[in-house]
């Protein structure tokens, strides 16, 4: 998440200058039909940046080209109006639900309606106190549109109901939801706008761009929960590099209003004032400052770097191996994991653009870092028809899935070939034991695939296809027959428990004689 940005206030926010009227109409109150008052925005500067102001002191005129100094924040209602309506928006541009066919059209009338609403909160002037007529700056007068007053009432209602309830977005956060790598490299993400309390901020317009790839949307708006809909970025499969950096930017309005009070310079020249109004009063308080714009931003890199296996695919020594290893193998492509977060077997993992099938299942090992290093087999080999133990090293707690092609027919589909299913591993070494069927081949190589991932696949991980994180390591092993043991003699005493126990150095084809029955057997150092 990006840190809060500067609010980009002008260097000098303490001094405002009003230079002219901007957008509005002349109105008058019912009890003073001859006094036309300009309702709308004034233009000027805060510091050296352009700004627009509304008046909050209807009894005193605006002084042009004469400094105003800041005088603290505005009330919550006026702040709300500034945040939501400032300075004015042409009809229909905002998609504002407050707008309707009977409401104002045009910036001048909208600015006037906003000013009437502000005067309601700053000077207590009710909308029905305004006369039914107005004049444009050109001097052309019209009957005062009921639409302006109706619009002002709605703004007042909105501010009374919602003032203080909306905080500006302080941070943006890009969240990557998922990545896919077929048929193209895609990632889905959303952008979350949060206020300073971490709550989602709705209606924030987020602009998006990426260093690489095509975005489904280049603009998105946050919903009620502060989150944009999902956005997709797409790169071609052969993209180089296999990464892109997404940037989300929002220009947010800081809902602050600042009161400005006119400063009369003692002994200085008289400021020029609006020709419609009397000279400024010493105690004249005046206008609102603009709410300020700020930029919020977050960047997030997305990577499609994957680790593949290297079990063979194709004809080798008269056997057709069908292990899905490359992206194009099988229905779901070869086994592959996105490389990230230090989730791997052994001492590490490296990424490669595609699977590297090889007869010795060492294509990945030979490429770049020798990373297929997480599984240790017994030095005297695996034996069929008995329990065997292997040592698996994991970088973090996670889950192991493993397949052995025990019958050596080039697939992992046969009975008993799915050896470990979502088997939990702890970070570090794990000794795992399993029984190899007595039907396992001793003639052919037995290829094995190990897939490790941090999140529990809950049965959805296979020996092929993409997984979100982790590593795939492929091996080949030889399976031998148990060593024959000839029991030439032994001594055993009577025991209370059945059976008698006889320890052998290795499990064997045991020739039994003399009525001895082998009911149960176990390996040294392992519990029966
Ligand atoms: Ca690998
Ligand atoms: Ca690798
Ligand atoms: Ca590894
Ligand atoms: Ca098989």
């Amino acid at each position: 998440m990006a840190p809060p940005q500067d609010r980009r206030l002008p260097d000098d926010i303490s001094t405002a200058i009003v230079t002219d009227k901007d957008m509005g109409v002349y109105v008058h109150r019912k009890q003073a039909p001859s006094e036309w008052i300009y309702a709308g925005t004034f233009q000027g500067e805060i510091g050296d940046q352009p700004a627009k102001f509304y008046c909050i002191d209807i009894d005193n005129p605006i002084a042009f080209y004469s400094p105003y100094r800041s005088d603290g924040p505005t009330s919550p209602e006026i702040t709300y109006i500034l945040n939501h309506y400032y300075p004015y928006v042409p009809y229909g541009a905002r998609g504002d639900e407050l707008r309707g066919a009977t409401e104002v059209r045009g910036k001048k009338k909208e600015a006037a309606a906003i000013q009437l609403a502000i005067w309601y909160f700053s000077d207590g002037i009710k909308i029905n106190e305004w006369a039914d007529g107005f004049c444009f700056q050109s001097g052309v007068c019209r009957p005062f549109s009921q639409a302006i007053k109706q619009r002002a009432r709605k703004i007042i209602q909105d501010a009374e109901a919602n003032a203080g309830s909306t905080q500006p977005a302080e941070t943006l956060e890009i969240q990557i939801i998922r990545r896919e790598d077929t048929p193209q490299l895609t990632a889905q993400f959303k952008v979350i706008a949060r206020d300073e309390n971490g709550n989602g901020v709705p209606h924030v317009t987020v602009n998006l761009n990426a260093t690489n790839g095509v975005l489904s949307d280049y603009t998105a708006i946050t919903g009620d929960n502060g989150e944009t809909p999902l956005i997709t970025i797409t790169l071609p499969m052969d993209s180089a590099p296999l990464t892109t950096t997404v940037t989300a930017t929002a220009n947010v309005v800081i809902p602050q209003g600042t009161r400005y009070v006119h400063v009369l310079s003692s002994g200085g020249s008289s400021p020029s004032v609006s020709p419609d109004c009397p000279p400024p009063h010493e105690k004249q308080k005046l206008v609102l400052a603009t709410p300020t714009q700020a930029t919020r931003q977050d960047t997030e890199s997305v990577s499609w770097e994957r680790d593949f296996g290297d079990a063979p695919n194709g004809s080798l020594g008269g056997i057709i191996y069908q292990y899905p290893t490359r992206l194009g193998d099988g229905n779901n492509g070869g086994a592959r994991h996105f490389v990230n977060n230090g989730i791997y077997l052994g001492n590490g993992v490296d990424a490669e653009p595609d699977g590297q099938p090889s007869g010795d299942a060492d294509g990945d090992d030979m490429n770049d870092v020798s990373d297929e290093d997480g599984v240790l087999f017994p030095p005297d080999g695996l034996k069929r028809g008995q329990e065997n133990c292997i040592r698996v090293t994991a970088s973090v707690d996670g889950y192991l899935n493993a397949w052995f092609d025990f019958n050596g027919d080039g697939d992992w589909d046969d009975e008993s070939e799915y050896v470990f299913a979502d088997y939990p591993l702890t970070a570090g070494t794990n000794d795992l034991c399993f029984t190899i069927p007595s039907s396992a081949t001793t003639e052919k190589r037995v290829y094995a695939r190990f897939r490790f991932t941090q999140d529990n696949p809950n049965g959805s991980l296979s020996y092929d296809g993409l997984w979100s994180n982790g590593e795939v390591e492929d091996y080949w092993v030889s399976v031998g027959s148990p060593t024959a043991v000839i029991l030439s003699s032994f001594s055993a005493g009577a025991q209370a428990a059945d059976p008698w126990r006889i320890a052998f150095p290795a499990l064997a084809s045991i020739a039994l004689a003399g009525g001895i029955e082998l009911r149960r057997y176990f390996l040294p150092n392992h519990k029966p």
Side-chain angles (χ1 to χ4, degrees):
M1 188 186 302
Q5 309 287 312
D6 289 341
R7 290 188 169 185
R8 295 200 177 176
L9 285 169
D11 291 339
D12 178 7
I13 61 167
S14 63
T15 304
I17 295 285
V18 184
T19 56
D20 203 351
K21 293 186 284 289
D22 177 56
M23 194 69 73
V25 300
Y26 283 90
V27 296
H28 64 86
R29 294 159 80 175
K30 284 179 179 172
Q31 72 268 34
S34 62
E35 287 182 19
W36 289 91
I37 303 163
Y38 176 77
T41 49
F42 295 85
Q43 52 183 287
E45 296 174 354
I46 297 176
D48 58 356
Q49 293 192 13
K52 296 182 189 298
F53 307 87
Y54 282 103
C55 176
I56 56 168
D57 183 2
I58 197 170
D59 294 326
N60 292 293
I62 304 289
F64 295 128
Y65 296 102
S66 182
Y68 286 79
R69 62 174 168 77
S70 63
D71 188 41
T74 53
S75 69
E77 292 84 2
I78 292 173
T79 295
Y80 180 85
I81 292 172
L82 287 176
N83 189 34
H84 289 80
Y85 298 90
Y86 176 90
Y88 40 72
V89 179
Y91 178 78
R94 197 193 330 239
D96 190 332
E97 68 279 1
L98 287 172
R99 292 172 184 278
T102 63
E103 292 171 17
V104 296
R105 294 169 185 271
K107 290 189 277 192
K108 290 180 179 178
K109 294 177 186 176
E110 174 74 355
I114 295 168
Q115 177 69 83
L116 295 192
I118 288 172
W119 275 327
Y120 172 83
F121 290 111
S122 65
D123 297 271
I125 300 171
K126 295 183 174 62
I127 299 304
N128 61 12
E129 293 179 31
W130 294 102
D132 295 334
F134 69 90
C135 298
F136 287 112
Q137 275 178 273
S138 63
V140 177
C141 296
R142 299 257 170 78
F144 190 56
S145 169
Q146 286 295 325
I148 293 180
K149 295 207 272 187
Q150 186 174 337
R151 174 69 175 155
R153 284 192 185 95
K154 288 203 170 184
I155 294 171
I156 290 168
Q157 288 168 5
D158 184 27
E160 285 181 328
N162 298 308
S165 66
T166 304
Q167 301 289 323
E170 282 289 330
T171 57
L172 291 184
E173 180 191 1
I174 298 172
Q175 272 190 5
I176 308 296
I177 305 301
R178 74 174 67 87
R179 288 172 291 165
E180 301 289 343
D181 67 350
T182 54
Q184 293 173 297
L185 304 176
T186 61
Q188 287 193 302
F189 64 91
K190 60 187 175 185
V191 182
I192 307 170
R194 291 196 181 88
D195 65 20
E196 62 182 9
N197 299 315
N199 299 318
V201 179
H203 313 310
V204 176
T205 300
V206 179
N207 296 306
L208 298 154
N209 62 61
T211 56
N212 194 13
V214 177
L215 288 159
S216 60
D217 297 283
Y218 286 82
T219 300
I221 298 173
T222 60
D224 288 342
N225 56 2
E227 300 178 4
T228 64
L230 288 181
I231 300 147
T232 302
I233 183 152
T234 305
L235 278 71
M237 285 295 287
D238 57 355
S239 172
L242 290 168
T243 61
T244 186
T245 300
V246 178
T247 300
T249 307
N251 293 314
V252 299
V253 176
I254 305 299
Q256 66 177 12
T258 305
R259 296 157 48 91
Y260 283 85
V261 178
H262 185 236
V263 184
L264 276 185
S265 54
S266 57
S269 57
S270 295
S272 69
V273 300
S274 163
D276 309 294
C277 306
H281 188 271
E282 186 179 3
K283 293 180 178 176
Q284 181 187 53
K285 59 189 164 69
L286 179 45
V287 290
L288 312 167
T290 78
T292 51
Q293 297 276 332
T295 301
R296 305 291 185 238
Q297 196 169 76
D298 189 26
T299 60
E300 191 71 42
S301 287
V302 193
S303 162
W304 288 266
E305 293 188 316
R306 295 148 298 175
D307 172 62
F308 288 79
D310 48 19
N313 187 286
S315 181
L316 198 70
I319 300 170
I320 297 177
Y321 291 102
Q322 300 179 62
Y323 308 124
T325 295
R326 289 165 299 202
L327 207 48
D329 291 343
N331 292 330
N332 302 310
R336 57 205 189 273
H337 296 249
F338 285 127
V339 174
N340 57 5
N341 299 333
I343 304 165
Y344 49 79
L345 293 168
N347 292 316
V349 59
D350 65 5
E352 48 270 349
D354 201 352
Q356 300 156 97
S358 64
D360 288 336
D362 60 359
D364 188 19
D365 251 358
M366 306 302 282
N367 175 65
D368 198 10
V369 178
S370 174
D371 62 332
E372 304 230 327
D373 56 353
V375 184
L376 285 177
F377 296 92
D380 56 345
L382 298 175
K383 306 295 183 199
R384 66 181 180 182
Q386 68 176 58
E387 189 177 63
N388 294 258
C389 296
I390 58 175
R391 176 162 288 183
V392 180
T393 304
S395 63
V396 295
D397 290 357
Y399 296 86
L400 181 75
N401 282 264
W403 298 261
F404 284 74
D405 184 8
F406 284 132
N407 65 0
D409 68 345
D411 64 39
W412 290 302
D413 289 327
D414 299 292
E415 190 180 352
S416 305
E417 293 191 341
Y418 187 11
V419 175
F420 293 108
D422 298 337
Y423 192 92
L425 300 185
T426 55
T429 56
N430 300 261
D431 289 335
L432 311 182
C433 299
F434 59 102
T435 298
I436 297 179
S438 53
S439 61
T441 180
T442 57
E443 310 295 320
K444 307 170 196 165
R445 290 179 169 184
V446 170
Y447 290 92
R449 169 160 290 175
F450 294 80
R451 302 190 71 174
F452 176 65
T453 179
Q454 190 171 39
D455 39 332
N456 189 342
N458 284 315
S460 52
L461 184 60
S462 179
Y463 51 70
D464 64 357
L466 177 68
W467 198 257
S468 54
N469 60 61
E471 183 179 10
V472 49
E473 295 191 356
D474 293 343
Y475 296 84
W476 73 267
V477 291
S478 292
V479 173
S481 293
T483 307
V485 173
I486 299 171
L487 186 64
S488 54
S489 66
F490 74 97
S491 62
Q495 296 183 11
D498 178 40
W500 293 354
R501 296 192 172 188
I502 308 167
F504 298 93
L507 187 67
S509 302
I510 300 172
L512 298 170
I516 297 173
E517 184 184 356
L518 187 65
R519 290 188 178 173
R520 199 172 179 195
Y521 53 87
F522 56 93
L523 283 175
N525 305 321
H526 289 93
K527 294 173 182 169

